[in-house]
């Protein structure tokens, strides 16, 4: 089946439909007039909310596409009590997850067991299950509950729901369009604003607001979408469409945006993705991941043995923020860059926290509230007060601290297992479009995995949402078989989610 369960034709417009339209228009006008007259401007948004609810129950695919379109342009706001949210993506994700639950209650027997019971899906379920388990033993239960709930609606909106929608390469291409063009707009406006400052390294953080909170999210979002840029070019060429605009317009803006993000992790991650393309083609991903894991363990043992990490403590006076990108690269090599050494400061604290709670960890989301009691003053920098409450800057280490050794092992099984299974699906797939989609998804996930070594972007809608979407593409394009192409490519009527 190429559509959602319970596909049905919408009835032709009739007298009842016209009455419904007139009633809705009347409600919209009344809300508009009342809101303006009473200055209760929230009433003006009520008709939109009513439309969203109605659309969700008639056909939730447009809301899913809307959610994807909003990812690049969403903005993060802080709420009382130290919490924050992403608008409008998080409310949309919560709503779509709720709709998915209602849909599953009604239509679960019709769901595709090969998708929802896929080995990749079970690896994700195991990871989520451990997060929920460690929440029970958390040092800060409220923070962990919020973290766990956010994780659940991320999985619902960005992984489970796509299993109902991204069933064909054409649907995957729609996903790419929904993400690409808003992100290209963000990149273009950032470049224009950045150009007004002469592309100054010191001023680049001012040019991406309100769409990106900082340059790492911006660069991570761009880098993760880069493999899909090449998929889109192949997709359009395979259908005889012109791609001159891709080479002369999109690609130059894209590469300039990544370069002027001045984010070292993006350059390294994309270089690794380029190498990974050939590694996957040559079926060498499993030994490559084994070498990467061995190297990570070796580095950890080297620094821990005889407290060797103390030899790398920075000089407080010379470790400062850099105003030029060339100086940043040099300072990084000399261990005098403040962002690099502040990472060391937090990583050392994390290493001291682990022995106190090695099994269940400190609880999801709890590193920030507890790490300062375990820091080493020798690694302190000018920004160690952490007024912006930025994280640990290593998702793997964060997982170890907050979820214990079992949590880190499960997480590594999840991400490595998905990549290894994805490589196998790529070589088993015979449909060219599905194969190209599988390769793009694998490379995009590898970009995120590389970013996570020295960043923690997995819980953001800019990067983490893309990771789960790529995971769903692996499942669906791995299962895709090009049978009855005409029925796959024909427009399908909207599916209905009947009220329970």
């Amino acid at each position: 089946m190429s559509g959602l369960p319970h596909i049905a034709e919408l009835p032709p417009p009739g007298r009842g439909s016209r009455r419904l339209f007139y009633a809705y228009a009347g409600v919209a006008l009344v809300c508009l007039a009342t809101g303006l007259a009473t200055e209760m401007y929230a009433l003006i948004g009520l008709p939109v909310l009513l439309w969203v609810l109605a659309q969700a129950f008639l056909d939730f695919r447009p809301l899913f596409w809307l959610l994807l379109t909003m990812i690049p342009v969403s903005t993060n706001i802080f709420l009382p009590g130290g919490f924050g949210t992403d608008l409008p993506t998080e409310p949309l994700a919560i709503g779509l997850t709720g709709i998915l639950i209602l849909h599953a209650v009604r239509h679960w027997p019709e769901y595709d067991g090969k998708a929802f019971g896929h080995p990749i899906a079970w690896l994700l379920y195991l990871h989520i299950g451990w997060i929920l388990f460690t929440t029970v033993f958390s040092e800060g239960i409220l923070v962990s509950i919020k973290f766990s709930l956010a994780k659940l609606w991320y999985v619902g909106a960005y992984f489970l729901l796509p299993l109902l929608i991204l069933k064909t390469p054409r649907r995957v291409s729609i996903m790419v369009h929904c993400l690409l063009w808003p992100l290209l707009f963000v990149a273009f406006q950032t470049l224009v604003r950045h150009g007004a400052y002469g592309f100054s390294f010191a001023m680049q953080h001012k040019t991406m607001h309100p769409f990106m909170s900082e340059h790492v999210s911006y660069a991570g979002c761009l880098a993760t979408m880069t493999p899909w840029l090449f998929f889109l070019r192949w997709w359009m060429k395979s259908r005889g469409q012109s791609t001159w605009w891709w080479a002369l317009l999109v690609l130059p803006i894209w590469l300039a945006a990544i370069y002027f993000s001045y984010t070292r992790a993006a350059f390294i991650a994309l270089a690794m993705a380029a190498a990974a393309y050939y590694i996957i083609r040559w079926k060498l991903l499993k030994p490559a991941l084994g070498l990467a894991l061995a190297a990570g363990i070796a580095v950890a043992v080297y620094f821990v043995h005889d407290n060797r990490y103390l030899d790398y403590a920075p000089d407080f006076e010379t470790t400062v923020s850099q105003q030029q990108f060339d100086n940043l690269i040099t300072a990084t090599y000399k261990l005098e860059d403040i962002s690099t050494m502040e990472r060391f400061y937090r990583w050392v604290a994390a290493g001291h926290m682990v022995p106190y709670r090695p099994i269940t960890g400190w609880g999801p989301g709890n590193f920030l509230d507890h790490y300062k009691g375990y820091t080493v003053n020798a690694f302190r920098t000018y920004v160690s007060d952490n007024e912006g409450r930025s994280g640990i800057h290593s998702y793997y280490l964060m997982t170890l601290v907050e979820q214990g050794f079992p949590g880190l092992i499960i997480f590594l099984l999840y991400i490595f297992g998905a990549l290894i299974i994805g490589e196998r699906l790529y070589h088993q797939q015979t449909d060219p479009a599905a194969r190209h989609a599988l390769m793009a998804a694998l490379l995009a996930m590898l970009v995120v995995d590389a970013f996570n070594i020295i960043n923690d972007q997995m819980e953001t809608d800019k990067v983490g949402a893309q990771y789960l979407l790529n995971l769903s593409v692996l499942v669906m394009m791995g299962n895709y078989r090009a049978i009855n192409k005409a029925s796959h490519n024909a427009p399908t009527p909207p599916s209905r989610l009947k009220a329970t």
Side-chain angles (χ1 to χ4, degrees), residues 69-83:
T69 304
M70 290 294 104
I71 288 174
V73 296
S74 67
T75 187
N76 182 261
I77 65 169
F78 294 98
L79 303 173
F83 295 108

Side-chain angles (χ1 to χ4, degrees), residues 225-270:
M225 270 301 294
T226 300
W228 287 109
L229 200 64
F230 291 89
F231 166 84
L232 183 61
R233 181 175 181 270
W234 177 88
W235 174 263
M236 299 188 73
K237 284 190 67 176
S238 70
R239 274 143 187 79
Q241 300 175 16
S242 175
T243 58
W244 65 266
W245 52 268
W246 185 92
L248 298 180
L249 180 64
V250 175
L251 190 60
I253 293 174
W254 200 272
L255 295 177
I258 292 175
Y259 177 77
F260 288 114
S261 72
Y262 296 127
T263 304
R264 294 160 292 183
F267 305 156
I268 296 172
L270 287 175

